[in-house]
Amino acid sequence: MEDCVFCKIIKGEIPSEKIYEDDLVLSFKDINPGAPVHVLIIPKKHISSINDLTEEDSKVIAHVFMVAKEITKKLGIADTGYRIVSNTGENGGQTVPHVHFHLLGGRSLNWPPG
Ligand code: 5GP
Ligand code: ZN
């Protein structure tokens, strides 16, 4: 989608530090990391938020978690633990309207979040 920052990253119009890519998903480092490991995993299909998911998106969302699992191994946080978060809407703190999953690790994470 035009004017979507994550679609621009997918198209290579905005540079990113890629961690993983395949036909369905892209993962790259968050520009403003909140933990020693902070990567985003996004479907390549533009979906504005979790609210807009349809049954046909089930495959890519499940794939996101399988990719996340592999990334945690690659980045060395599988054993120490991590958090996967998808902020949604205003109260959820979503700032980019393209579904994305934050993968955070590398330190002990506070719970509940602020
Ligand atoms: P949200 O606030 O919607 O849950 O998460 C959006 C995330 O995207 C934020 O953590 C923000 O730092 C990250 N972000 C926004 N613009 C860019 C960008 O151009 N490049 C990268 N790598 N991350 C971005
Ligand atoms: Zn998009």
Side-chain angles (χ1 to χ4, degrees):
M1 178 183 264
E2 273 179 52
D3 295 335
C4 170
V5 61
F6 286 174
C7 283
K8 286 183 178 173
I9 286 174
I10 290 163
K11 286 187 266 180
E13 293 171 8
I14 295 175
S16 67
E17 287 189 67
K18 288 183 189 174
I19 299 293
Y20 176 85
E21 181 170 18
D22 64 25
D23 288 351
L24 291 178
V25 303
L26 175 66
S27 177
F28 52 94
K29 290 187 182 179
D30 196 293
I31 204 168
N32 185 23
V37 172
H38 187 173
V39 306
L40 301 171
I41 308 170
I42 67 174
K44 285 190 169 176
K45 175 185 175 187
H46 180 89
I47 306 165
S48 296
S49 92
I50 298 284
N51 289 343
D52 300 296
L53 289 176
T54 65
E55 197 59 36
E56 70 177 25
D57 300 321
S58 300
K59 186 180 164 195
V60 68
I61 299 304
H63 187 56
V64 163
F65 282 85
M66 296 311 294
V67 165
K69 178 184 155 184
E70 294 307 314
I71 290 173
T72 63
K73 287 194 260 179
K74 183 173 164 179
L75 299 183
I77 60 168
D79 294 337
T80 47
Y82 50 88
R83 182 172 297 158
I84 298 171
V85 179
S86 185
N87 299 323
T88 303
E90 193 177 343
N91 281 356
Q94 183 178 8
T95 60
V96 177
H98 180 130
V99 165
H100 52 282
F101 295 82
H102 297 259
L103 170 59
L104 299 141
R107 68 167 170 81
S108 183
L109 300 164
N110 301 328
W111 191 262

